[in-house]
Amino acid sequence: MTPLHKVLINKDTTINPIWIMRQAGRYLPEFREIRKKNTDFIKLCLNEKLSSEITLQPLKRFDFDAAIIFSDILMLPYALDQKVEFKKNFGPLLGDLNLNEISKLNENDFIKKLSPVYKAINLVSKNNLTKNKSTIGFVGAPWTLLVYMINKQSPKVKLKDNFYQDKSLINKILSTLDKFLKIHIKNQVENGAEIIQIFDSWAGLLNEENLPNYVYNPTLTLVDYVKTLNVPVICFPRGVKNYKNYCDIVKPDGICIDYETDPNKILKEIKIPVQGGMDPKILLTDKEILKKETKKYLDIFKDHPYIFNLGHGVLPETDPNMMDYLVKMVKDY
Ligand code: CP3
């Protein structure tokens, strides 16, 4: 059993495995080197040789316990034939949504479009660098994908005023997403993904009243599906106010918490394995502060099954030496 499985399945409290969201990315000079020559991000994700190499880059430097496949949650709308672009200093920009086209899409075309992602997972899971480590596959949660597909750009401040107007459109997209997310998850697992993480980056936009319709119910369906594949599933509903409710209803194997959530409150309320929490900005300070904050999370969860991670993705301006210090500290704890 890999360390992450020991925590997620056996509820082992004697080890502190570590991996980091966005661990393969812009804070690494070797990634920026590849990225410079590959300006089209989607094409890069669809180049299994490069995407598997990028996935393994952080494992060559640091003793992480998992590799997360270098891809993106927006590869799904892309595979559903919605145009997706990543504009520099702007973030993702999506094209118009054509539901007629989407309804004509069949499973085989979808799998064919994403086959380089599945090949990359296969290469990574068979590589010696992931021996005794987990290969993590992932998807965006239906709600977060819905937000990007309708809003067509990041809802950083708020959603478009008329976001909820077309209920029939919303329901059609949600049922399409349910179908294709399951196909995407299945193919990742069949090709070597041993854990699935579901990213719900915009769960915090909703109030408690809207959570059942858009977050709890559609995510529960996916979580139940992952369980039938015998693979543990970690959910990251960033920004929800009530993590306990979320866990009680959605019942993932592990819950990833964001950096605005009080870890002491989580420890008191939540029984399932916990992951993450520390503010990524701590890595931009100094070793003294980093040590103190890291120790804080490890101390709080010392008798609780816990996977060390941050409360959101590692920031591009992070010094890799600080990451090295963090990993060693967690391992020596
Ligand atoms: O974690 C990893 O190392 C695996 C790869 C991964 C990426 N995106 C690569 C990426 C994962 C798991 C994601 C998930 C993702 N993508 C989420 C959920 C997590 C979160 O951050 O909230 C979301 C909302 C997206 C959508 C997305 N992709 C945005 C908003 C952006 C632009 C913002 C940014 O950071 O530039 C991306 C681009 C993206 N995805 C990059 C990477 C490494 C940066 C690409 C680049 O310019 O080099």
Side-chain angles (χ1 to χ4, degrees), residues 4 18-25 27-28 31 45 50-59 64-73 117 120-125 129-130 133-140 188 192-199 234 236 256 275 309 312-314 323:
L4 260 75
I18 175 172
W19 69 280
I20 300 291
M21 292 186 273
R22 293 276 172 99
Q23 64 187 28
Y27 73 111
L28 291 178
F31 169 73
C45 292
L50 287 178
S51 66
S52 59
E53 184 185 331
I54 292 169
T55 303
L56 293 168
Q57 280 177 344
L59 274 72
F64 286 139
D65 293 291
I68 180 156
I69 201 69
F70 182 80
S71 176
D72 199 90
I73 63 166
V117 176
I121 292 176
N122 212 298
L123 290 170
V124 167
S125 67
L129 283 162
T130 59
K133 296 173 192 283
S134 309
T135 300
I136 303 178
F138 67 86
V139 291
Q188 294 187 64
E194 300 155 298
I195 292 171
I196 293 291
Q197 176 149 321
I198 300 178
F199 287 92
I234 304 171
F236 181 36
C256 185
Q275 169 180 283
N309 203 319
H312 202 190
V314 56
M323 185 63 84

Short mmCIF file of all heavy atoms in Angstrom, two decimals, residues 4 18-25 27-28 31 45 50-59 64-73 117 120-125 129-130 133-140 188 192-199 234 236 256 275 309 312-314 323:
data_model
loop_
_atom_site.label_atom_id
_atom_site.label_comp_id
_atom_site.label_asym_id
_atom_site.label_seq_id
_atom_site.Cartn_x
_atom_site.Cartn_y
_atom_site.Cartn_z
N LEU A 4 -0.32 7.30 0.76
CA LEU A 4 -1.62 7.97 0.66
C LEU A 4 -2.78 6.99 0.89
O LEU A 4 -3.78 7.33 1.53
CB LEU A 4 -1.79 8.65 -0.70
CG LEU A 4 -1.53 10.17 -0.69
CD1 LEU A 4 -0.04 10.45 -0.60
CD2 LEU A 4 -2.10 10.84 -1.90
N ILE A 18 3.00 13.59 1.82
CA ILE A 18 2.87 14.95 1.29
C ILE A 18 2.84 14.95 -0.24
O ILE A 18 3.58 14.20 -0.88
CB ILE A 18 4.03 15.86 1.80
CG1 ILE A 18 3.97 17.26 1.15
CG2 ILE A 18 5.41 15.22 1.58
CD1 ILE A 18 4.95 18.28 1.74
N TRP A 19 1.95 15.72 -0.80
CA TRP A 19 2.01 16.14 -2.20
C TRP A 19 1.43 17.54 -2.23
O TRP A 19 0.83 17.98 -1.24
CB TRP A 19 1.27 15.17 -3.15
CG TRP A 19 -0.23 15.15 -3.05
CD1 TRP A 19 -0.98 14.49 -2.11
CD2 TRP A 19 -1.16 15.82 -3.90
NE1 TRP A 19 -2.32 14.71 -2.34
CE2 TRP A 19 -2.46 15.52 -3.44
CE3 TRP A 19 -1.03 16.65 -5.03
CZ2 TRP A 19 -3.62 16.02 -4.05
CZ3 TRP A 19 -2.18 17.13 -5.64
CH2 TRP A 19 -3.46 16.82 -5.14
N ILE A 20 1.59 18.25 -3.34
CA ILE A 20 1.19 19.65 -3.38
C ILE A 20 0.39 19.93 -4.64
O ILE A 20 0.80 19.56 -5.74
CB ILE A 20 2.44 20.57 -3.34
CG1 ILE A 20 3.27 20.34 -2.06
CG2 ILE A 20 2.08 22.04 -3.51
CD1 ILE A 20 2.62 20.79 -0.76
N MET A 21 -0.76 20.60 -4.48
CA MET A 21 -1.56 20.96 -5.65
C MET A 21 -0.73 21.90 -6.53
O MET A 21 -0.10 22.82 -6.03
CB MET A 21 -2.87 21.62 -5.21
CG MET A 21 -3.80 20.62 -4.52
SD MET A 21 -5.42 21.32 -4.15
CE MET A 21 -5.09 22.06 -2.54
N ARG A 22 -0.76 21.67 -7.83
CA ARG A 22 0.07 22.38 -8.82
C ARG A 22 1.56 22.15 -8.61
O ARG A 22 2.37 23.01 -8.91
CB ARG A 22 -0.21 23.88 -8.81
CG ARG A 22 -1.59 24.27 -9.27
CD ARG A 22 -1.64 24.38 -10.80
NE ARG A 22 -3.00 24.56 -11.26
CZ ARG A 22 -3.52 25.74 -11.59
NH1 ARG A 22 -2.79 26.82 -11.54
NH2 ARG A 22 -4.76 25.82 -12.00
N GLN A 23 1.90 20.96 -8.07
CA GLN A 23 3.32 20.68 -7.83
C GLN A 23 4.13 20.62 -9.14
O GLN A 23 5.33 20.84 -9.13
CB GLN A 23 3.50 19.38 -7.05
CG GLN A 23 3.05 18.10 -7.75
CD GLN A 23 3.10 16.88 -6.83
OE1 GLN A 23 2.96 16.99 -5.61
NE2 GLN A 23 3.32 15.70 -7.40
N ALA A 24 3.45 20.30 -10.24
CA ALA A 24 4.09 20.36 -11.54
C ALA A 24 3.65 21.67 -12.17
O ALA A 24 2.53 21.78 -12.64
CB ALA A 24 3.65 19.18 -12.40
N GLY A 25 4.52 22.65 -12.17
CA GLY A 25 4.06 23.93 -12.70
C GLY A 25 5.10 25.03 -12.68
O GLY A 25 6.30 24.76 -12.58
N TYR A 27 6.44 27.26 -10.80
CA TYR A 27 7.51 27.61 -9.85
C TYR A 27 8.79 26.83 -10.17
O TYR A 27 9.83 27.12 -9.61
CB TYR A 27 7.06 27.36 -8.39
CG TYR A 27 7.00 25.89 -8.02
CD1 TYR A 27 7.91 25.34 -7.13
CD2 TYR A 27 6.06 25.05 -8.60
CE1 TYR A 27 7.87 23.99 -6.81
CE2 TYR A 27 6.02 23.71 -8.29
CZ TYR A 27 6.92 23.18 -7.40
OH TYR A 27 6.90 21.85 -7.10
N LEU A 28 8.71 25.83 -11.07
CA LEU A 28 9.88 25.04 -11.42
C LEU A 28 10.50 25.54 -12.74
O LEU A 28 9.83 25.55 -13.77
CB LEU A 28 9.51 23.56 -11.59
CG LEU A 28 9.11 22.79 -10.32
CD1 LEU A 28 8.73 21.35 -10.68
CD2 LEU A 28 10.23 22.81 -9.28
N PHE A 31 10.03 23.36 -15.71
CA PHE A 31 8.71 23.45 -16.35
C PHE A 31 8.64 24.67 -17.27
O PHE A 31 8.20 24.57 -18.42
CB PHE A 31 7.58 23.53 -15.32
CG PHE A 31 6.24 23.88 -15.95
CD1 PHE A 31 5.56 22.94 -16.70
CD2 PHE A 31 5.70 25.15 -15.84
CE1 PHE A 31 4.35 23.25 -17.31
CE2 PHE A 31 4.50 25.48 -16.44
CZ PHE A 31 3.82 24.53 -17.18
N CYS A 45 -0.87 19.75 -22.83
CA CYS A 45 -1.57 18.71 -22.05
C CYS A 45 -1.84 17.47 -22.92
O CYS A 45 -1.99 16.38 -22.40
CB CYS A 45 -2.89 19.24 -21.51
SG CYS A 45 -2.71 20.51 -20.25
N LEU A 50 5.55 14.93 -23.23
CA LEU A 50 5.88 16.10 -22.42
C LEU A 50 5.05 16.17 -21.13
O LEU A 50 5.56 16.49 -20.07
CB LEU A 50 5.69 17.39 -23.23
CG LEU A 50 6.76 17.65 -24.30
CD1 LEU A 50 6.45 18.92 -25.07
CD2 LEU A 50 8.15 17.75 -23.66
N SER A 51 3.76 15.84 -21.22
CA SER A 51 2.93 15.98 -20.01
C SER A 51 3.35 14.95 -18.95
O SER A 51 3.31 15.24 -17.76
CB SER A 51 1.44 15.90 -20.33
OG SER A 51 1.10 14.62 -20.79
N SER A 52 3.79 13.76 -19.39
CA SER A 52 4.26 12.79 -18.39
C SER A 52 5.60 13.25 -17.81
O SER A 52 5.84 13.12 -16.61
CB SER A 52 4.35 11.39 -18.98
OG SER A 52 5.23 11.36 -20.08
N GLU A 53 6.43 13.82 -18.68
CA GLU A 53 7.72 14.34 -18.18
C GLU A 53 7.49 15.46 -17.14
O GLU A 53 8.10 15.47 -16.07
CB GLU A 53 8.54 14.86 -19.36
CG GLU A 53 9.94 15.33 -18.97
CD GLU A 53 10.70 15.95 -20.15
OE1 GLU A 53 10.44 15.55 -21.31
OE2 GLU A 53 11.53 16.83 -19.90
N ILE A 54 6.57 16.38 -17.45
CA ILE A 54 6.28 17.48 -16.52
C ILE A 54 5.71 16.94 -15.20
O ILE A 54 6.06 17.41 -14.12
CB ILE A 54 5.28 18.48 -17.17
CG1 ILE A 54 5.95 19.20 -18.35
CG2 ILE A 54 4.76 19.48 -16.15
CD1 ILE A 54 4.98 19.99 -19.22
N THR A 55 4.85 15.92 -15.31
CA THR A 55 4.27 15.32 -14.10
C THR A 55 5.36 14.78 -13.18
O THR A 55 5.25 14.88 -11.95
CB THR A 55 3.33 14.15 -14.50
OG1 THR A 55 2.34 14.66 -15.38
CG2 THR A 55 2.67 13.53 -13.28
N LEU A 56 6.41 14.24 -13.79
CA LEU A 56 7.47 13.61 -12.99
C LEU A 56 8.53 14.60 -12.52
O LEU A 56 9.30 14.28 -11.59
CB LEU A 56 8.13 12.48 -13.81
CG LEU A 56 7.21 11.28 -14.09
CD1 LEU A 56 7.82 10.36 -15.14
CD2 LEU A 56 6.92 10.50 -12.79
N GLN A 57 8.58 15.79 -13.12
CA GLN A 57 9.61 16.77 -12.74
C GLN A 57 9.72 16.99 -11.22
O GLN A 57 10.81 16.91 -10.66
CB GLN A 57 9.37 18.10 -13.45
CG GLN A 57 9.87 18.11 -14.89
CD GLN A 57 9.57 19.41 -15.61
OE1 GLN A 57 8.73 20.21 -15.15
NE2 GLN A 57 10.23 19.64 -16.73
N PRO A 58 8.60 17.28 -10.53
CA PRO A 58 8.72 17.54 -9.09
C PRO A 58 9.21 16.32 -8.30
O PRO A 58 9.83 16.48 -7.25
CB PRO A 58 7.31 17.95 -8.67
CG PRO A 58 6.41 17.50 -9.76
CD PRO A 58 7.22 17.48 -11.01
N LEU A 59 8.94 15.13 -8.81
CA LEU A 59 9.37 13.92 -8.09
C LEU A 59 10.87 13.68 -8.19
O LEU A 59 11.46 12.96 -7.39
CB LEU A 59 8.61 12.68 -8.59
CG LEU A 59 7.27 12.45 -7.90
CD1 LEU A 59 6.24 13.46 -8.34
CD2 LEU A 59 6.76 11.05 -8.13
N PHE A 64 8.04 13.75 -2.81
CA PHE A 64 6.58 13.75 -2.72
C PHE A 64 6.06 12.32 -2.75
O PHE A 64 6.68 11.44 -3.35
CB PHE A 64 5.97 14.50 -3.91
CG PHE A 64 6.10 16.00 -3.86
CD1 PHE A 64 6.41 16.73 -5.00
CD2 PHE A 64 5.88 16.70 -2.67
CE1 PHE A 64 6.51 18.11 -4.96
CE2 PHE A 64 5.98 18.09 -2.62
CZ PHE A 64 6.30 18.79 -3.77
N ASP A 65 4.90 12.11 -2.14
CA ASP A 65 4.31 10.76 -2.10
C ASP A 65 3.32 10.50 -3.22
O ASP A 65 2.71 9.44 -3.27
CB ASP A 65 3.63 10.54 -0.74
CG ASP A 65 4.67 10.50 0.37
OD1 ASP A 65 5.45 9.53 0.41
OD2 ASP A 65 4.75 11.45 1.17
N ALA A 66 3.12 11.50 -4.08
CA ALA A 66 2.19 11.29 -5.19
C ALA A 66 2.59 12.13 -6.39
O ALA A 66 3.26 13.16 -6.26
CB ALA A 66 0.77 11.67 -4.76
N ALA A 67 2.17 11.65 -7.56
CA ALA A 67 2.30 12.42 -8.79
C ALA A 67 0.88 12.77 -9.22
O ALA A 67 0.02 11.89 -9.26
CB ALA A 67 2.98 11.58 -9.86
N ILE A 68 0.62 14.06 -9.49
CA ILE A 68 -0.70 14.41 -10.05
C ILE A 68 -0.50 14.74 -11.51
O ILE A 68 0.40 15.49 -11.87
CB ILE A 68 -1.40 15.56 -9.28
CG1 ILE A 68 -2.76 15.86 -9.93
CG2 ILE A 68 -0.54 16.80 -9.17
CD1 ILE A 68 -3.78 16.51 -9.02
N ILE A 69 -1.34 14.15 -12.31
CA ILE A 69 -1.11 14.19 -13.74
C ILE A 69 -1.21 15.63 -14.27
O ILE A 69 -2.10 16.38 -13.89
CB ILE A 69 -2.09 13.23 -14.46
CG1 ILE A 69 -1.54 12.87 -15.82
CG2 ILE A 69 -3.50 13.72 -14.50
CD1 ILE A 69 -0.32 11.99 -15.73
N PHE A 70 -0.27 16.03 -15.11
CA PHE A 70 -0.27 17.38 -15.67
C PHE A 70 -1.33 17.45 -16.77
O PHE A 70 -1.17 16.95 -17.88
CB PHE A 70 1.11 17.74 -16.24
CG PHE A 70 1.14 19.13 -16.78
CD1 PHE A 70 1.29 20.21 -15.94
CD2 PHE A 70 0.97 19.37 -18.14
CE1 PHE A 70 1.27 21.51 -16.43
CE2 PHE A 70 0.96 20.66 -18.64
CZ PHE A 70 1.12 21.73 -17.78
N SER A 71 -2.45 18.07 -16.39
CA SER A 71 -3.58 18.25 -17.30
C SER A 71 -4.37 19.42 -16.74
O SER A 71 -3.81 20.22 -15.99
CB SER A 71 -4.40 16.95 -17.32
OG SER A 71 -5.55 17.10 -18.11
N ASP A 72 -5.63 19.53 -17.06
CA ASP A 72 -6.43 20.63 -16.49
C ASP A 72 -7.89 20.22 -16.42
O ASP A 72 -8.35 19.40 -17.23
CB ASP A 72 -6.30 21.89 -17.35
CG ASP A 72 -6.70 23.13 -16.56
OD1 ASP A 72 -5.84 23.73 -15.92
OD2 ASP A 72 -7.91 23.46 -16.56
N ILE A 73 -8.62 20.82 -15.46
CA ILE A 73 -10.04 20.48 -15.36
C ILE A 73 -10.80 20.93 -16.62
O ILE A 73 -11.84 20.39 -16.96
CB ILE A 73 -10.71 21.07 -14.10
CG1 ILE A 73 -10.68 22.59 -14.11
CG2 ILE A 73 -10.06 20.55 -12.82
CD1 ILE A 73 -11.63 23.22 -13.07
N VAL A 117 -4.02 12.11 -22.55
CA VAL A 117 -4.04 12.24 -21.08
C VAL A 117 -3.96 10.85 -20.45
O VAL A 117 -3.20 10.63 -19.49
CB VAL A 117 -5.33 12.97 -20.60
CG1 VAL A 117 -5.41 13.03 -19.08
CG2 VAL A 117 -5.41 14.37 -21.20
N ALA A 120 -0.53 9.42 -20.83
CA ALA A 120 0.41 10.04 -19.89
C ALA A 120 0.27 9.40 -18.50
O ALA A 120 1.27 9.11 -17.83
CB ALA A 120 0.17 11.54 -19.80
N ILE A 121 -0.96 9.16 -18.08
CA ILE A 121 -1.19 8.52 -16.77
C ILE A 121 -0.52 7.14 -16.75
O ILE A 121 0.14 6.76 -15.79
CB ILE A 121 -2.71 8.40 -16.49
CG1 ILE A 121 -3.30 9.79 -16.27
CG2 ILE A 121 -2.98 7.50 -15.26
CD1 ILE A 121 -4.80 9.82 -16.07
N ASN A 122 -0.68 6.43 -17.87
CA ASN A 122 -0.07 5.12 -17.98
C ASN A 122 1.45 5.19 -17.85
O ASN A 122 2.07 4.43 -17.10
CB ASN A 122 -0.47 4.53 -19.34
CG ASN A 122 -0.58 3.05 -19.27
OD1 ASN A 122 0.41 2.38 -18.99
ND2 ASN A 122 -1.78 2.53 -19.45
N LEU A 123 2.06 6.13 -18.56
CA LEU A 123 3.52 6.30 -18.51
C LEU A 123 3.97 6.65 -17.09
O LEU A 123 4.95 6.10 -16.58
CB LEU A 123 3.96 7.40 -19.47
CG LEU A 123 3.85 7.09 -20.97
CD1 LEU A 123 4.09 8.35 -21.80
CD2 LEU A 123 4.87 6.01 -21.34
N VAL A 124 3.25 7.57 -16.46
CA VAL A 124 3.64 8.02 -15.12
C VAL A 124 3.50 6.88 -14.11
O VAL A 124 4.41 6.63 -13.31
CB VAL A 124 2.78 9.23 -14.68
CG1 VAL A 124 2.92 9.52 -13.19
CG2 VAL A 124 3.16 10.46 -15.50
N SER A 125 2.39 6.15 -14.16
CA SER A 125 2.17 5.13 -13.13
C SER A 125 3.15 3.97 -13.28
O SER A 125 3.42 3.26 -12.32
CB SER A 125 0.72 4.64 -13.16
OG SER A 125 0.48 3.93 -14.34
N LEU A 129 9.93 6.33 -10.84
CA LEU A 129 9.83 7.46 -9.90
C LEU A 129 8.55 7.41 -9.08
O LEU A 129 8.46 8.06 -8.04
CB LEU A 129 9.90 8.78 -10.66
CG LEU A 129 11.28 9.24 -11.14
CD1 LEU A 129 11.14 10.30 -12.21
CD2 LEU A 129 12.10 9.78 -9.97
N THR A 130 7.54 6.67 -9.54
CA THR A 130 6.29 6.62 -8.77
C THR A 130 6.16 5.30 -7.99
O THR A 130 5.08 4.98 -7.48
CB THR A 130 5.04 6.79 -9.67
OG1 THR A 130 5.02 5.77 -10.65
CG2 THR A 130 5.01 8.15 -10.33
N LYS A 133 4.56 5.22 -4.63
CA LYS A 133 3.88 6.51 -4.57
C LYS A 133 2.57 6.38 -5.34
O LYS A 133 2.41 5.45 -6.13
CB LYS A 133 4.75 7.60 -5.21
CG LYS A 133 6.06 7.84 -4.45
CD LYS A 133 6.96 8.78 -5.21
CE LYS A 133 8.36 8.82 -4.62
NZ LYS A 133 8.49 9.60 -3.41
N SER A 134 1.65 7.32 -5.13
CA SER A 134 0.35 7.23 -5.81
C SER A 134 0.34 8.10 -7.06
O SER A 134 0.90 9.19 -7.08
CB SER A 134 -0.76 7.70 -4.88
OG SER A 134 -0.67 7.05 -3.64
N THR A 135 -0.35 7.62 -8.08
CA THR A 135 -0.63 8.45 -9.25
C THR A 135 -2.06 8.97 -9.09
O THR A 135 -3.00 8.19 -8.96
CB THR A 135 -0.48 7.64 -10.54
OG1 THR A 135 0.86 7.14 -10.61
CG2 THR A 135 -0.75 8.49 -11.76
N ILE A 136 -2.17 10.30 -9.05
CA ILE A 136 -3.49 10.91 -8.82
C ILE A 136 -4.09 11.40 -10.13
O ILE A 136 -3.45 12.16 -10.87
CB ILE A 136 -3.37 12.09 -7.82
CG1 ILE A 136 -2.76 11.61 -6.50
CG2 ILE A 136 -4.74 12.74 -7.58
CD1 ILE A 136 -2.57 12.73 -5.47
N GLY A 137 -5.30 10.96 -10.42
CA GLY A 137 -6.06 11.52 -11.53
C GLY A 137 -7.04 12.52 -10.95
O GLY A 137 -7.26 12.56 -9.74
N PHE A 138 -7.63 13.36 -11.79
CA PHE A 138 -8.55 14.35 -11.22
C PHE A 138 -9.59 14.78 -12.24
O PHE A 138 -9.43 14.57 -13.45
CB PHE A 138 -7.78 15.56 -10.70
CG PHE A 138 -7.11 16.38 -11.78
CD1 PHE A 138 -7.80 17.37 -12.46
CD2 PHE A 138 -5.79 16.14 -12.14
CE1 PHE A 138 -7.19 18.12 -13.46
CE2 PHE A 138 -5.17 16.88 -13.15
CZ PHE A 138 -5.87 17.87 -13.80
N VAL A 139 -10.64 15.39 -11.71
CA VAL A 139 -11.64 16.06 -12.56
C VAL A 139 -12.08 17.34 -11.85
O VAL A 139 -11.88 17.49 -10.64
CB VAL A 139 -12.91 15.20 -12.80
CG1 VAL A 139 -12.61 13.99 -13.67
CG2 VAL A 139 -13.56 14.78 -11.48
N GLY A 140 -12.67 18.25 -12.60
CA GLY A 140 -13.35 19.37 -11.99
C GLY A 140 -14.72 18.88 -11.55
O GLY A 140 -15.31 18.00 -12.19
N GLN A 188 -9.19 7.28 -16.68
CA GLN A 188 -7.99 7.60 -15.88
C GLN A 188 -7.65 6.41 -14.97
O GLN A 188 -6.49 6.01 -14.87
CB GLN A 188 -8.22 8.86 -15.05
CG GLN A 188 -8.37 10.12 -15.89
CD GLN A 188 -8.43 11.38 -15.04
OE1 GLN A 188 -7.49 11.75 -14.36
NE2 GLN A 188 -9.57 12.07 -15.07
N GLY A 192 -4.25 3.72 -14.78
CA GLY A 192 -3.28 3.75 -13.69
C GLY A 192 -3.49 4.80 -12.61
O GLY A 192 -2.70 4.87 -11.68
N ALA A 193 -4.55 5.61 -12.71
CA ALA A 193 -4.81 6.55 -11.61
C ALA A 193 -5.31 5.77 -10.40
O ALA A 193 -6.26 4.99 -10.51
CB ALA A 193 -5.85 7.60 -12.03
N GLU A 194 -4.65 5.96 -9.26
CA GLU A 194 -4.97 5.16 -8.07
C GLU A 194 -5.78 5.94 -7.05
O GLU A 194 -6.24 5.39 -6.04
CB GLU A 194 -3.67 4.69 -7.41
CG GLU A 194 -2.82 3.84 -8.34
CD GLU A 194 -1.35 3.90 -7.98
OE1 GLU A 194 -0.75 4.99 -8.04
OE2 GLU A 194 -0.82 2.84 -7.63
N ILE A 195 -5.91 7.24 -7.28
CA ILE A 195 -6.72 8.11 -6.43
C ILE A 195 -7.34 9.13 -7.38
O ILE A 195 -6.73 9.51 -8.37
CB ILE A 195 -5.84 8.85 -5.40
CG1 ILE A 195 -5.25 7.86 -4.38
CG2 ILE A 195 -6.61 9.96 -4.68
CD1 ILE A 195 -4.20 8.45 -3.47
N ILE A 196 -8.58 9.55 -7.08
CA ILE A 196 -9.19 10.63 -7.87
C ILE A 196 -9.44 11.82 -6.94
O ILE A 196 -9.97 11.66 -5.84
CB ILE A 196 -10.52 10.18 -8.51
CG1 ILE A 196 -10.28 9.09 -9.58
CG2 ILE A 196 -11.27 11.37 -9.12
CD1 ILE A 196 -9.56 9.54 -10.85
N GLN A 197 -9.00 13.00 -7.38
CA GLN A 197 -9.36 14.21 -6.62
C GLN A 197 -10.37 15.01 -7.45
O GLN A 197 -10.20 15.21 -8.65
CB GLN A 197 -8.13 15.06 -6.29
CG GLN A 197 -8.52 16.37 -5.59
CD GLN A 197 -7.51 16.91 -4.60
OE1 GLN A 197 -6.89 16.15 -3.86
NE2 GLN A 197 -7.35 18.23 -4.56
N ILE A 198 -11.43 15.46 -6.76
CA ILE A 198 -12.45 16.28 -7.42
C ILE A 198 -12.29 17.73 -6.96
O ILE A 198 -12.43 18.04 -5.78
CB ILE A 198 -13.87 15.76 -7.08
CG1 ILE A 198 -14.03 14.30 -7.55
CG2 ILE A 198 -14.94 16.66 -7.72
CD1 ILE A 198 -15.40 13.67 -7.22
N PHE A 199 -11.93 18.60 -7.91
CA PHE A 199 -11.69 20.02 -7.61
C PHE A 199 -12.97 20.82 -7.77
O PHE A 199 -13.48 20.96 -8.89
CB PHE A 199 -10.65 20.60 -8.56
CG PHE A 199 -9.24 20.14 -8.30
CD1 PHE A 199 -8.71 19.03 -8.95
CD2 PHE A 199 -8.42 20.83 -7.41
CE1 PHE A 199 -7.39 18.62 -8.72
CE2 PHE A 199 -7.11 20.43 -7.18
CZ PHE A 199 -6.60 19.33 -7.83
N ILE A 234 -10.81 12.03 -3.14
CA ILE A 234 -10.63 13.19 -2.27
C ILE A 234 -11.39 14.36 -2.89
O ILE A 234 -11.27 14.60 -4.09
CB ILE A 234 -9.13 13.59 -2.16
CG1 ILE A 234 -8.28 12.41 -1.67
CG2 ILE A 234 -8.94 14.80 -1.24
CD1 ILE A 234 -6.76 12.66 -1.76
N PHE A 236 -12.26 18.54 -2.91
CA PHE A 236 -11.75 19.86 -2.51
C PHE A 236 -12.79 20.93 -2.85
O PHE A 236 -12.73 21.56 -3.90
CB PHE A 236 -10.42 20.13 -3.24
CG PHE A 236 -9.79 21.46 -2.89
CD1 PHE A 236 -9.85 21.99 -1.62
CD2 PHE A 236 -9.09 22.16 -3.86
CE1 PHE A 236 -9.26 23.20 -1.30
CE2 PHE A 236 -8.49 23.39 -3.56
CZ PHE A 236 -8.58 23.91 -2.29
N CYS A 256 -10.13 17.72 1.30
CA CYS A 256 -9.04 18.70 1.20
C CYS A 256 -9.60 20.05 1.62
O CYS A 256 -10.64 20.48 1.12
CB CYS A 256 -8.52 18.73 -0.24
SG CYS A 256 -7.09 19.78 -0.48
N GLN A 275 -6.86 16.52 4.25
CA GLN A 275 -5.69 16.88 3.45
C GLN A 275 -5.60 18.40 3.35
O GLN A 275 -6.60 19.09 3.23
CB GLN A 275 -5.83 16.27 2.04
CG GLN A 275 -4.81 16.77 1.02
CD GLN A 275 -5.00 16.15 -0.35
OE1 GLN A 275 -4.62 15.00 -0.55
NE2 GLN A 275 -5.59 16.88 -1.27
N ASN A 309 -0.64 19.04 2.47
CA ASN A 309 -0.79 19.71 1.18
C ASN A 309 -1.05 21.17 1.52
O ASN A 309 -1.12 21.53 2.70
CB ASN A 309 -1.96 19.09 0.39
CG ASN A 309 -1.85 19.31 -1.12
OD1 ASN A 309 -1.47 20.38 -1.60
ND2 ASN A 309 -2.17 18.28 -1.88
N HIS A 312 -4.48 25.64 -1.38
CA HIS A 312 -4.75 25.89 -2.80
C HIS A 312 -3.45 25.61 -3.53
O HIS A 312 -2.47 25.20 -2.89
CB HIS A 312 -5.24 27.33 -3.03
CG HIS A 312 -6.02 27.50 -4.32
ND1 HIS A 312 -6.38 28.71 -4.83
CD2 HIS A 312 -6.47 26.58 -5.22
CE1 HIS A 312 -7.06 28.54 -5.97
NE2 HIS A 312 -7.12 27.25 -6.22
N GLY A 313 -3.37 25.84 -4.82
CA GLY A 313 -2.17 25.50 -5.58
C GLY A 313 -0.94 26.33 -5.18
O GLY A 313 -1.07 27.47 -4.73
N VAL A 314 0.24 25.71 -5.35
CA VAL A 314 1.48 26.43 -5.06
C VAL A 314 1.61 27.62 -6.02
O VAL A 314 1.27 27.53 -7.20
CB VAL A 314 2.71 25.47 -5.15
CG1 VAL A 314 2.81 24.80 -6.50
CG2 VAL A 314 4.01 26.21 -4.84
N MET A 323 10.26 24.89 -1.07
CA MET A 323 9.52 23.64 -1.22
C MET A 323 10.36 22.47 -0.68
O MET A 323 9.85 21.60 0.04
CB MET A 323 9.17 23.40 -2.69
CG MET A 323 8.31 22.18 -2.93
SD MET A 323 6.69 22.30 -2.15
CE MET A 323 5.80 23.23 -3.41
#
